[in-house]
Amino acid sequence: MARLKIGVMFGGCSEEHPVSVTSAREVARSLDPERYEPFYIGITRDGAWRLCDGPGAGWERGGGRPAVLSPDRGVPGLLVLEQGRYETIGLDLVLPVLHGRFGEDGAVQGLLELSGIPYVGCDVQSSALCMDKSLAYLVAGSAGIATPDVRTVMADETPDPDRITYPVFVKPARSGSSFGVSKVSRGEELPGAVEVARRYDAKVLIEAAVAGREVGCAVLGDGPDLVTGEVDRIALSHGFFRIHQERAPETGSENSTPIVPADIPAASRELVQETAKTVYRALGCRGLARVDLFLKDDGTVVLNEVNTLPGLTSYSRYPRMMAAAGWPLAEVIDRLVSLALTGKLR
């Protein structure tokens, strides 16, 4: 049986470029060579696309061949530049291992839709919706999910520190992980925090701090046919959770420890999983997503955010939660490929 030709896209222009490369290395180790023929499409920090040997160290310096997606839906695949001529490489599907801006916000999904190539993960609409936390809160709230009290600050606005109830989190509305996020406890800290957030997005959120435990749920599938991983809890020693921003994240975090399965009551675990499914469906997600929530002391949950292309590194939350539920990454990838090609989880 012929192997599936799978394009693995990684790198990208966002601040999460290094995380994407590390995720792609884990994916490369997990791809079954008897089932898949991978084609690695590395995107440099300045946006150049290269067909390369893989996401190993030095791939950006090692050259590779310039490559673009074919815009012709009759020839789905890559156009690769070779000695002044373009060679066509057909692809059966694409696995976009991209995080943050231009990878998780619907941009690359739009390119793939135009090219007619099946791809893993959320579509254009749900990707854009989940990336913008203010819009995600509106849709989730309409589905009956509790969300934080939030104020949106646009590029031409200057918020009045005296009209804010502290503590709050100031964050970019459309950025990945916790880049640009600050916890603000006093009014004099607010202008600086807004400026930090604006390094990543002109649209900034001032979000009331939620008193509760940080929990997450990995979701896999589409429509009514959803699978969840074990719920995790982030145990903090101080500060707030800054995922993927440590100097050596594979060795652990200086202030946080993920506990999988979460040390919470069984009823709370079930509530987190069911709420995650409700959020996932309300936002139109498909394929995979990680839904982050706050579990309050009264047992209720509040939405934190949704990551439509969560980290897939060995230390990332999504694969840990799925593995704890009996789903190693290789099996998760197989199910995602099946879903992308057939629309059903087999």
Side-chain angles (χ1 to χ4, degrees):
M1 183 175 178
R3 294 184 299 168
L4 285 172
K5 294 183 177 181
I6 180 170
V8 180
M9 300 177 66
F10 66 94
C13 303
S14 84
E15 57 274 9
E16 295 190 76
H17 177 102
V19 184
S20 171
V21 174
T22 308
S23 288
R25 289 173 187 161
E26 199 65 31
V27 167
R29 284 190 283 266
S30 301
L31 287 174
D32 183 349
E34 295 186 0
R35 301 185 66 173
Y36 306 114
E37 181 182 0
F39 293 85
Y40 293 99
I41 307 150
I43 303 174
T44 66
R45 292 176 187 269
D46 58 3
W49 289 38
R50 297 287 185 267
L51 181 64
C52 55
D53 293 334
W59 69 270
E60 289 189 77
R61 300 188 302 272
R65 293 180 289 169
V68 294
L69 288 173
S70 167
D72 186 345
R73 294 175 66 89
V75 189
L78 292 171
L79 297 178
V80 183
L81 187 61
E82 183 71 38
Q83 297 181 345
R85 299 175 63 88
Y86 277 99
E87 168 195 356
T88 302
I89 296 178
L91 295 175
D92 294 306
L93 80 156
V94 166
L95 172 55
V97 189
L98 296 163
H99 310 311
R101 197 162 58 106
F102 300 137
E104 204 171 347
D105 58 1
V108 76
Q109 289 77 12
L111 283 175
L112 290 164
E113 292 280 358
L114 289 170
S115 70
I117 305 173
Y119 59 93
V120 165
C122 290
D123 62 12
V124 177
Q125 176 177 288
S126 56
S127 296
L129 188 58
C130 292
M131 190 69 176
D132 189 323
K133 298 176 183 65
S134 63
L135 298 182
Y137 289 161
L138 286 174
V139 175
S142 69
I145 304 300
T147 62
D149 293 330
V150 65
R151 175 180 174 181
T152 302
V153 181
M154 304 307 291
D156 57 349
E157 291 184 70
T158 301
D160 184 350
D162 295 331
R163 302 185 68 179
I164 305 294
T165 300
Y166 301 93
V168 295
F169 283 93
V170 178
K171 59 181 66 175
R174 299 161 294 198
S175 181
S177 294
S178 52
F179 290 94
V181 178
S182 303
K183 186 175 183 179
V184 175
S185 301
R186 300 185 302 275
E188 56 266 30
E189 300 171 349
L190 186 66
V194 171
E195 288 308 307
V196 169
R198 280 180 173 154
R199 296 174 191 170
Y200 299 91
D201 191 2
K203 184 179 181 181
V204 172
L205 303 185
I206 301 175
E207 188 175 293
V210 177
R213 289 168 282 184
E214 291 192 50
V215 295
C217 184
V219 185
L220 172 69
D222 194 9
D225 189 17
L226 300 181
V227 173
T228 59
E230 283 286 354
V231 173
D232 77 353
R233 180 177 77 83
I234 302 301
L236 288 172
S237 60
H238 62 279
F240 63 94
F241 187 39
R242 293 182 177 275
I243 187 169
H244 293 145
Q245 292 190 54
E246 303 87 351
R247 290 186 177 180
E250 65 278 357
T251 64
S253 169
E254 65 175 18
N255 74 333
S256 63
T257 302
I259 299 173
V260 189
D263 51 351
I264 58 177
S268 295
R269 184 178 297 110
E270 183 177 348
L271 175 61
V272 168
Q273 290 172 323
E274 290 305 313
T275 303
K277 290 179 184 179
T278 300
V279 171
Y280 188 95
R281 293 187 180 111
L283 294 172
C285 297
R286 73 179 193 194
L288 77 165
R290 193 190 75 237
V291 181
D292 297 340
L293 302 149
F294 297 106
L295 176 62
K296 299 176 69 174
D297 290 342
D298 62 5
T300 60
V301 292
V302 178
L303 177 62
N304 183 2
E305 65 176 13
V306 180
N307 288 268
T308 55
L309 281 168
L312 298 176
T313 70
S314 60
Y315 51 85
S316 294
R317 297 173 69 188
Y318 187 95
R320 280 183 173 176
M321 287 188 276
M322 294 304 296
W327 288 73
L329 184 56
E331 192 169 340
V332 169
I333 292 172
D334 288 345
R335 296 303 190 270
L336 288 171
V337 168
S338 172
L339 182 61
L341 292 176
T342 67
K344 297 180 180 179
L345 184 65
R346 294 187 298 188

